[in-house]
Amino acid sequence: MAEIGPPPLTGITVLEFAGLAPGPFAGMLLADAGASVIRIDRASDTRSLPTADALTRHKASISVDLKSPHGTSFIKELVARGADVLIDPFRPGVLEKLGLGPSVLLAINPRLVYARLTGFRRDGRYAAMAGHDINYLAVSGALSLLGRAADTPHPPTNILADFAGGGANLFQGILLALLARQTTGRGQVVEANMVDGSAYLATFPRLGLKSGVGARGRGRNLLDGGCPYYETYETKDGKYYSVGALEPQFFSQLIEGMGLAGRGLEEKRFDFDEWPAMRALFESTFRQKTRAEWEAIFDGTDACAAPVLEYQELENDAAREGDQRPSVTLRGTPCLAIKQRPAGHSDPVTHGQGAGVPGDGYDGEPLAPGDGGQQALEKWLGWQKGREYDVHKGAYILTKGGSKL
């Protein structure tokens, strides 16, 4: 095996202001890739319980009173001493009112990548409004494409706007800014919003509205639930099977496995008027066998048919290959492991480097304000509590030896 290097973002330091969902997801992506991420939590007089944020793996926390000059000075000091990335998950203007906007912090550290994420566009008609994933999808246009023909538009939980169009999009922007910094020597402001992120993800189906692929209206097309051979079906035991046999050679294997060969279905694939009858035939056929029986037929074939697996079985049945791994394999500099494995039973390239995390990617690891913060500051800056900083009423504050501003 070739020599394995450290994770790709090793040495990158990140300050992530505490939030929910998309901001923490961007921070988690950075942490999984080896960046050292410190979450900035609100200070409390008493020992705080873990926050509702479950996207905490490979992170540490410090608690800061941002309404106090001591708190904002602490953040500025961390920026001045070389923080690479700052993640702002708040509505527009919040950090600016605290004196921690990009004009202030980039003046302190011109190499800083100041990454901020909003739901709506900062310059749009909804900029000052509150919203959630469903609202951002709605005004992006993407929501109009999702759902059954006879039903209202329906979002795929909060995956699309919050995480794909929001957190993952911000992560991409941060990486682009870090790459640009290698050339320019300077950081910059990275702005992502979930409306534009969702609209960008919907490029292919949006273009399909005028190319014919999606021209028949929501839920009536090849890829959006209208087509009977790109669909899910209930099985005899109340489970589900997915079918995606678009190409003729795959369709032939599908109907052969279903016992429907020789009925002329191949010639009817693109006849929209035949789709309802074909769907009804497929529904009744799939209900005749259990999911396991259909697996025995289709496993190893090119029928483009696979079981709809649930997370409980993925977590508990090793044969289902539900072990959580890095989202991308870097063979020279793998990201960090998620699933914990016995010593000697882990391949760092395939499974990720390191020991994994409690919960194995199925249970969120709790992170209370202040957890791991002292160790992270010592690793970042060599700081020690009582020398460069202290903790007063739950809030991290600088001592005289900690400030260089």
Side-chain angles (χ1 to χ4, degrees):
M1 180 184 293
E3 183 177 351
I4 300 299
L9 296 185
T10 298
I12 296 295
T13 54
V14 181
L15 296 172
E16 173 201 313
F17 282 96
L20 289 175
F25 185 62
M28 188 186 77
L29 290 169
L30 293 165
D32 282 348
S36 178
V37 179
I38 295 178
R39 189 182 71 190
I40 302 169
D41 284 299
R42 295 179 180 179
S44 173
D45 288 351
T46 59
R47 171 66 175 171
S48 298
L49 296 174
T51 70
D53 172 23
L55 305 176
T56 61
R57 63 182 182 236
H58 303 127
K59 297 181 186 179
S61 165
I62 60 174
S63 49
V64 176
D65 182 1
L66 293 177
K67 296 181 179 180
S68 162
H70 295 294
T72 55
S73 294
F74 196 87
I75 300 301
K76 290 177 181 178
E77 192 66 34
L78 294 180
V79 170
R81 290 179 179 267
D84 293 294
V85 179
L86 181 144
I87 296 176
D88 168 12
F90 303 122
R91 291 171 69 172
V94 170
L95 286 184
E96 285 85 346
K97 290 179 181 178
L98 296 172
L100 298 173
S103 60
V104 174
L105 297 188
L106 283 168
I108 295 173
N109 176 6
R111 290 179 57 82
L112 177 69
V113 174
Y114 193 111
R116 49 190 186 177
L117 177 65
T118 57
F120 298 113
R121 287 178 171 178
R122 287 179 173 268
D123 61 346
R125 60 184 293 179
Y126 307 107
M129 292 172 54
H132 283 295
D133 177 284
I134 191 171
N135 309 120
Y136 313 138
L137 280 183
V139 302
S140 77
L143 185 57
S144 70
L145 305 174
L146 305 174
R148 298 290 184 179
D151 202 353
T152 59
H154 192 73
T157 184
N158 65 329
I159 295 172
L160 190 50
D162 275 356
F163 295 108
N169 199 37
L170 185 68
F171 172 66
Q172 174 182 261
I174 291 169
L175 296 183
L176 293 173
L178 290 173
L179 283 172
R181 192 177 72 174
Q182 293 183 349
T183 301
T184 66
R186 302 184 66 83
Q188 59 183 294
V189 177
V190 174
E191 292 182 347
N193 70 77
M194 298 172 220
V195 172
D196 288 332
S198 301
Y200 198 90
L201 290 168
T203 297
F204 178 82
R206 183 175 64 252
L207 297 177
L209 295 174
K210 295 186 178 181
S211 70
V213 176
R216 302 184 68 241
R218 183 182 69 254
R220 296 180 174 88
N221 303 284
L222 192 66
L223 302 176
D224 63 1
C227 173
Y229 45 91
Y230 199 88
E231 179 60 285
T232 58
Y233 291 97
E234 187 175 1
T235 57
K236 185 178 181 179
D237 52 348
K239 298 181 180 180
Y240 298 92
Y241 224 81
S242 70
V243 168
L246 297 176
E247 293 78 7
Q249 68 274 24
F250 302 150
F251 186 83
S252 294
Q253 291 198 38
L254 173 68
I255 60 174
E256 181 178 350
M258 295 175 69
L260 300 177
R263 299 195 183 195
L265 295 175
E266 293 94 331
E267 291 75 29
K268 300 176 181 179
R269 285 192 311 127
F270 294 116
D271 186 341
F272 299 140
D273 292 335
E274 293 289 341
W275 279 7
M278 188 181 297
R279 182 186 306 276
L281 177 60
F282 283 14
E283 287 175 346
S284 64
T285 302
F286 269 100
R287 287 197 185 102
Q288 294 173 14
K289 291 181 172 64
T290 66
R291 192 186 70 180
E293 289 173 325
W294 286 117
E295 286 188 81
I297 292 171
F298 288 123
D299 274 7
T301 74
D302 283 343
C304 297
V308 177
L309 301 179
E310 299 176 2
Y311 276 120
Q312 183 177 6
E313 58 188 317
L314 284 165
E315 179 181 4
N316 297 309
D317 184 352
R320 288 300 186 186
E321 300 181 352
D323 56 308
Q324 297 300 302
R325 300 179 178 184
S327 63
V328 64
T329 297
L330 300 179
R331 294 199 165 271
T333 56
C335 293
L336 294 176
I338 301 170
K339 179 177 174 57
Q340 300 175 105
R341 299 174 189 273
H345 291 78
S346 178
D347 174 5
V349 172
T350 302
H351 304 134
Q353 302 192 65
V357 297
D360 295 339
Y362 283 95
D363 291 314
E365 182 179 6
L367 184 68
D371 279 356
Q374 294 183 31
Q375 295 88 334
L377 291 175
E378 184 171 3
K379 182 179 178 182
W380 277 30
L381 304 169
W383 280 9
Q384 293 183 8
K385 181 182 176 183
R387 191 175 66 189
E388 287 84 10
Y389 72 96
D390 217 324
V391 180
H392 179 66
K393 293 185 177 180
Y396 283 59
I397 58 173
L398 295 169
T399 64
K400 291 183 179 180
S403 176
K404 74 172 189 178
L405 290 175

